[in-house]
Amino acid sequence: MATIDHIETVEFAYPLQDVGTPPGGFDIVYDPGATMERRLFAVRVSCSDGLVGEYVGSNSPGAAQMNIVAEYLVGRDPTRREHHWSEVKRALRKYDRMGIGPLDIALWDYAGKKYDAPIHELLGTYRERLPAYASTYQGDKSGGLDSPAAYADFAEACLDRGYPGFKVHGWDGDWRDPDLLEETVRAVGERVGGRMELMVDPACDLDTFAEAVQVGRACDDHGYRWYEDPYRDGGISQHAHRKLRQTLSTPLLQTEHVRGLEPHVDFAATEATDFLRADPEYDAGITGAMKIAAAAEGLGLDVEFHAPGPAQRHCLAATRNASFYELALVHPDAPNTTPPVYEGGYSDALDAIDADGAVPVPDGPGLGVDYDWAYIEDNAVGRRTYE
């Protein structure tokens, strides 16, 4: 039996050119001439049989929680993912459990390498091509996505590229304006409605229930597929979103900001959402995300996986009750925000889709991607080893 020999986390930084934040806000926007530094964590789980489970993408809150639980895994069987998931879930019961995801994904990567199979094959493959929607940056004031017409132009450009869906993110900070977001929803609907699926995600920026209703009624008028995280409850109030569902006809997509299996199920059971959201990094790994997908299926609902990445592709490939891959964040003039850590052909850039508007599922062992560890090490700003 192989055991986990040691676990290493490496924090690294990478630049995003022409990217910044809006005044008074936190989201990422097009900002010509600016450079934003982003920091992520890479995880390596090295085992006694010489195989290494890997994952790149964790954030600082997740890394802090890994610091609590990583030593528990050392010396244990890496294939006992369900047992470890349950134990670590309890250990992090006072926290949001963000630390489970990167470790669990790395253990799935190890399992795929051990059995010489892609993760989706271990889960049970349902599909190998994933229809993608273009998920935009937040709006800016810099000549990029700076107006309703600019969003409509970009939606049409994405349609011409072959994207079957397009999601609007509105304006943040001092720029937020419900009238502007409503106008954008209508402009995009008038330009490409009926030719591609449309979604809007205000990212909890709208201030009031009334503003959420205002934008939601524009979605109703233009047949939007879903309306996501509209206002300042933070996306976590079941009562608020049940009331919003009773007011609008556009389906709601909630639970991106709800952590854990049971709260996702509670959100659906109280009829506070129409779609469930899952994320293998945020929702306790591939193990946790697939539990959410199965729970949604049992309730007759769809699940939509949040954000791009190889782990998301494997989850979506093994899930029948899901529709789209979120290719994010995209912009007509700014780079995709994913880190430049992949060797080979893997990409989540705007041009990653094929002629049918789909992306492939990696078919190599485990996650099926090769990480550029030289880049990660060259840009390392911190590390920790558990042994």
Side-chain angles (χ1 to χ4, degrees), residues 3 40-41 58 61 64 108 140 146 163 177 192 212 253 265 277 303 320 325:
T3 58
L40 294 177
F41 287 80
S58 178
W108 275 98
D140 58 74
D146 62 351
Y163 277 95
D177 179 346
V192 297
L253 188 155
V265 175
R277 216 24 156 172
V303 62
R320 176 196 58 80
Y325 180 71

Side-chain angles (χ1 to χ4, degrees), residues 52-107:
V52 180
E54 303 170 302
Y55 178 66
V56 177
S58 178
N59 55 26
S60 295
Q65 292 176 36
M66 281 190 281
N67 189 43
I68 298 172
V69 300
E71 287 184 351
Y72 158 83
L73 292 170
V74 175
R76 300 183 187 275
D77 181 350
T79 66
R80 297 192 68 195
R81 294 179 304 279
E82 186 70 23
H83 177 83
H84 301 327
W85 189 88
S86 180
E87 293 300 318
V88 173
K89 176 186 174 186
R90 180 189 177 276
L92 294 177
R93 64 193 182 278
K94 297 177 182 179
Y95 308 98
D96 64 8
R97 303 184 180 91
M98 286 281 287
I100 301 175
L103 293 170
D104 180 81
I105 296 168
L107 291 179

Side-chain angles (χ1 to χ4, degrees), residues 337-357:
T337 56
T338 54
V341 295
Y342 300 103
E343 295 181 330
Y346 183 88
S347 173
D348 280 311
L350 182 63
D351 62 0
I353 60 169
D354 63 18
D356 296 321

Side-chain angles (χ1 to χ4, degrees), residues 47 134 159 180 239 253 325:
C47 299
L159 176 64
L180 181 60
H239 174 81
L253 188 155
Y325 180 71

Side-chain angles (χ1 to χ4, degrees), residues 259-273:
R259 299 278 72 82
L261 171 65
E262 295 84 357
H264 279 75
V265 175
D266 288 347
F267 227 94
T270 56
E271 299 184 348
T273 191

Side-chain angles (χ1 to χ4, degrees), residues 204 229-238 241 254-258 267:
C204 301
D229 284 323
Y231 68 119
R232 290 302 176 95
D233 80 303
I236 61 173
S237 171
Q238 295 177 27
H241 288 92
Q254 294 299 125
T255 68
E256 179 180 330
H257 308 300
V258 175
F267 227 94

Side-chain angles (χ1 to χ4, degrees), residues 55-56 127-136 158 162-167 169 196-197 199 225-226 228 253 275-281 302-330 336-339 342 345-354 356-362 367 369 371:
Y55 178 66
V56 177
R127 74 191 103 195
E128 296 183 62
R129 307 294 301 176
L130 311 173
Y133 66 91
S135 183
T136 71
C158 290
Y163 277 95
F166 183 84
K167 188 169 82 174
H169 285 101
M196 64 193 313
E197 296 286 353
M199 310 87 163
R225 187 180 183 91
W226 71 62
E228 182 176 352
L253 188 155
F275 296 87
L276 285 177
R277 216 24 156 172
D279 183 320
E281 183 178 321
D302 290 351
V303 62
E304 293 293 339
F305 292 98
H306 170 250
Q312 283 87 340
R313 293 196 192 193
H314 286 284
C315 288
L316 181 53
T319 303
R320 176 196 58 80
N321 55 315
S323 301
F324 283 110
Y325 180 71
E326 182 173 21
L327 211 150
L329 295 168
V330 295
N336 184 285
T337 56
T338 54
Y342 300 103
Y346 183 88
S347 173
D348 280 311
L350 182 63
D351 62 0
I353 60 169
D354 63 18
D356 296 321
V359 296
V361 183
L367 286 170
V369 296
Y371 290 117

